[in-house]
Amino acid sequence: MPLTGIQIYKLLPKTNCKDCGLPTCLAFAMKLAAKQMELSTCPHVSPDAKSQLADAAEPPVRLVTLKADGHEVKSGNETVLFRHEKTFYNKPGLFIRVQDDEASDDIEAKVSAADIYTVRYVGMDLTLDGFAVQSASGDPAKFADAVSAVRATSHRPLILIARDPAIMAAGLRAIDGESPLIYCADAGNWNAMADLAKQHSAALAVCADKLDELADLTSKLKTKGINDLVLDPATRRLGESLIRQTQIRRLALKKDFRPLGYPIIAFPGDASDLTQESALAAQAIAKYAGFIVLNRFAPEMVYPLLVLRENIFTDPQKPIQVQPGLYEINDPKPGDPVLVTTNFSITYFSVANEVEGAGLPAWLLIVDAEGMSVLTAWAAGKFDAERIAKAVKETGVANKVARKRIVLPGHVAVLSGELEEELPDWDIRVGPREAVDLPAFMKQVL
Amino acid sequence: MSVEIPKDTWSGSVRTVTLGATAAAGGTRSHTVTVGGHKALPFMHFEQPMAHRPAIALEIRDRRPDDWSPLLLEVWGDAVDDPASWAIAAEKAGADLLVLSLSLTGLNGHPTTPEAAVAAAKAVLKTSGLPLLVFAPGQADLDNQLLVPVAEATKGERLVLGICEDKNYRTIVATAMANGHLISTRTPMDVNLAKQLNILVRDMGIPPDRVLMDPTTGALGYGIEYGYSVMERLRLAALQGDGNTQSPMIVTPGTEAWKAKEAKVGQDVPAAWGDWRERAITWETLTAVALIESGADIVVLRHPESLRRVRVAIDDLMTVPETV
Ligand code: B12
Ligand code: SF4
């Protein structure tokens, strides 16, 4: 949270010496708050005030970035508690966890399947972000082997999990030169963990089940020069996690409380009931986690979570749109039908995917409906006969087809009469309501 | 270091609404369900105790649905052919409430008749003691034709009649008031529309403790973010003291999720979607859990396993943690 002019004023010399070119220190403070002048313009600021003012310029939730070979996960830099207030910026990273006492074949199988996993959602290829390797055996060599096995299979960022600094050191040596996230520093081991984090430029997760202990730890680590910190408030159930994560985000944003101004790591994979892993992960996505560690790699769980993450992190001011125009699906010929819909991306892809998936050729005419779904746009007056006719003319689709057949979405069957008037030489057909039924309709009716 | 946890204090609160009436109150329900009453954002137990937990309704229909996913038809089996048996099955599955959705047409293809609607509602009330919500098909004229006789035939039960929209609220509100029922209003994902409709129904004199509001939602992947944010905004407005947003909220994640291809269909879908049944249930569950955390007081679901999972989630959210 940026400081107000008054808060800045309190840190200035208050001598009104005018060396900055302004009549008073207060006037200078106001200019600084409005970011219209630089702090260095005042030659008399004390070093202490300088560092406090620099601190205040930092974002309330620190940005922590994990990088590895072309992949990166960014977390933090959030500015609001509710997405409608502005938007959420950095999607939390989704990591799959393996344990070092699993057979190395199993580790490799799980990691390689998760590593290559991609799923298409509204034209985007969604993937997982990385892997967490946990020491379960207590044996440094085994931990190092597991880390190496994961690294040999995937190039994505890693989280290393071990409380014993000796084991952690072994894991870090296995990926020398990389900067993973290491988990975790606690009241007992923080000094040694700090040294490891420093040595490897790693981000460091901190774990404590009370907020004051968590804040103590981050403050101590900060004095040791560790800045890339991640918080684990040690809650593992829905209720307590929701509360803790809300409290942490509020303290960071509303109170500008630096010791808790870091991204949070959540462990839905620790759920006692297997079927709750997805619910915990969903909560973590919506309610403020920055790194999320899952146990299971199951497409039927990962796909809904990836979609939820896209949904929650879309900018509420901008629906995801596609470019209006004429799209060719499966190399259409002049004899193939024209299907019409809106430029809301979910709508476009629902239709395009069905037709493409069924291998049917068609001309897909995308009307500029300001990024709204069929019914929303219709209700808002952005998808009517006039707009459709305009799109037909502008795209010149009439010159591409021999049979002028145009198919309307079933939900806007009411438009067919007006469209006949707008496009007298076209054959207007009403399609099914849902895109799933389009292929059957195209095969049987067209 | 001592950390002072910031607590929100609010001037407003969500109203308390009781669904169903027992014999003592002039109905026949075995028990009632009370929702709302909140003085803080959902599950912020450290600020205010949650007055009432979110309730889970299961949707049953007056006849075998034409367009439900095979997964749903399979899990409910023969019960879908008879609303009374379906009600028993839903109660056994652990529902707090039943939603009886009336179909546009009967199996014969003709519009649903008032007699058939009344028969279905009465059959459900006879076999199950759960509080009941009756939702009409969503066509203003037909809705009025069906809901009025249902309301009259079930006088005093404190049913919830839905859906009140700007086109048809008058008749539904009037019959709810005349027969001791409640209403559910629905507006398309817009804070101002929700407020306006609330003003309209309240102007007719319906007591505020007889009104639920449905701000409409979309499924995961199909607009959930709009519903989610509108609910957060409505709940914040309610706590800030805006009397037109203080009704408990009901949403239908079941209907929405099972419309999505991801839940509905098992064939000819990408391999990356994974196991069909588990994906479908996750689709419904995650939609519901996200909405519960954004302020839903009643979620209407369709699959019994989703209900089980959502209940585990609510139990957990309602547990007041000792450490926090
Ligand atoms: C999300 C949503 C919104 C979002 C907008 C999202 C967006 N970018 O479009 C917001 C909150 C902004 C919104 C606003 C409004 N909305 Co709205 N909204 C919805 C909601 C919940 C989901 C819409 C959606 O995304 N569907 C998913 C997409 C993929 O569906 P689709 O585009 O229809 O595509 C499907 C089919 O049509 C078909 N299809 C598509 N193209 C084609 C083409 C062919 C050839 C074929 C055969 C099939 C086909 O396939 C697709 C998948 O099956 C619906 C209710 C619901 N649950 O459906 C209401 C709904 C559409 N909204 C409605 C209304 C009234 C409005 C408002 C006018 C309210 C108002 N007065 O302010 C505003 C208008 C916007 C404005 N003035 O700026 C009403 C429309 C009522 C009606 N029947 O006319 C609905 C139905 C809600 C309701 N029951 O009242 N809305
Ligand atoms: S130069 Fe510094 S001390 Fe002098 S008036 Fe400006 S702000 Fe104040």
Side-chain angles (χ1 to χ4, degrees), chain A residues 83 117 250 283 303 354, chain B residues 1 47 229 261-262 272 293:
Chain A
R83 57 186 293 283
Y117 179 79
R250 278 193 200 165
Q283 173 180 286
Y303 173 43
E354 283 310 328
Chain B
M1 181 179 310
E47 293 177 339
S229 286
K261 184 173 181 182
E262 282 83 349
E293 294 195 355

Side-chain angles (χ1 to χ4, degrees), chain A residues 81 233 235-250 264 280 282-284 286-288, chain B residues 41-46 50 228 232 289-290 292-295 313 316-318 321 324:
Chain A
L81 280 159
T235 50
R236 293 294 181 269
R237 305 182 54 161
L238 279 176
E240 54 183 22
S241 302
L242 179 63
I243 289 181
R244 267 292 185 261
Q245 290 174 198
T246 305
Q247 289 171 338
I248 291 173
R249 177 71 78 91
R250 278 193 200 165
I264 297 169
L280 276 156
Q283 173 180 286
K287 293 292 177 184
Y288 317 138
Chain B
L41 287 171
F43 312 107
M44 294 294 115
H45 306 287
F46 68 102
M50 274 280 273
Y228 180 88
E232 286 196 328
V289 170
I292 285 171
E293 294 195 355
S294 69
D316 195 352
L317 286 163
M318 287 303 292
V324 290

Side-chain angles (χ1 to χ4, degrees), chain A residues 228-411:
Chain A
D228 285 336
L229 295 171
V230 171
L231 309 173
D232 176 13
T235 50
R236 293 294 181 269
R237 305 182 54 161
L238 279 176
E240 54 183 22
S241 302
L242 179 63
I243 289 181
R244 267 292 185 261
Q245 290 174 198
T246 305
Q247 289 171 338
I248 291 173
R249 177 71 78 91
R250 278 193 200 165
L251 279 159
L253 297 191
K254 291 176 142 184
K255 300 286 170 194
D256 198 19
F257 186 66
R258 295 289 154 175
L260 296 178
Y262 300 99
I264 297 169
I265 185 166
F267 290 88
D270 286 345
S272 49
D273 174 347
L274 256 187
T275 61
Q276 290 304 100
E277 185 172 7
S278 57
L280 276 156
Q283 173 180 286
I285 288 169
K287 293 292 177 184
Y288 317 138
F291 300 94
I292 300 175
V293 180
L294 302 170
N295 264 12
R296 279 185 302 151
F297 168 67
E300 57 274 12
M301 175 176 83
V302 166
Y303 173 43
L305 291 174
L306 288 168
V307 170
L308 181 68
R309 185 172 74 167
E310 289 307 314
N311 291 169
I312 294 291
F313 281 76
T314 46
D315 183 342
Q317 268 75 43
K318 301 186 209 118
I320 327 170
Q321 310 189 9
V322 295
Q323 198 61 33
L326 189 65
Y327 289 71
E328 302 184 3
I329 312 262
N330 295 329
D331 280 325
K333 305 279 170 319
D336 292 317
V338 179
L339 312 174
V340 63
T341 190
T342 71
N343 68 325
F344 181 36
S345 66
I346 304 180
T347 302
Y348 166 82
F349 285 105
S350 312
V351 178
N353 289 347
E354 283 310 328
V355 181
E356 208 173 295
L360 297 166
W363 305 91
L364 188 51
L365 181 68
I366 304 301
V367 176
D368 182 357
E370 299 180 16
M372 287 185 231
S373 79
V374 167
L375 275 177
T376 311
W378 176 77
K382 307 291 181 194
F383 187 54
D384 53 19
E386 208 178 310
R387 283 198 182 223
I388 297 172
K390 191 165 158 238
V392 166
K393 278 168 201 140
E394 281 176 1
T395 55
V397 57
N399 305 326
K400 304 205 170 170
V401 293
R403 291 177 62 187
K404 292 182 178 173
R405 279 176 309 168
I406 190 163
V407 183
L408 281 175
H411 281 297

Side-chain angles (χ1 to χ4, degrees), chain A residues 12-25 28 41-45:
Chain A
L12 294 177
K14 303 194 201 74
T15 55
N16 300 335
C17 77
K18 303 189 178 55
D19 287 353
C20 57
L22 289 170
T24 60
C25 292
F28 180 68
T41 322
C42 166
H44 313 294
V45 195

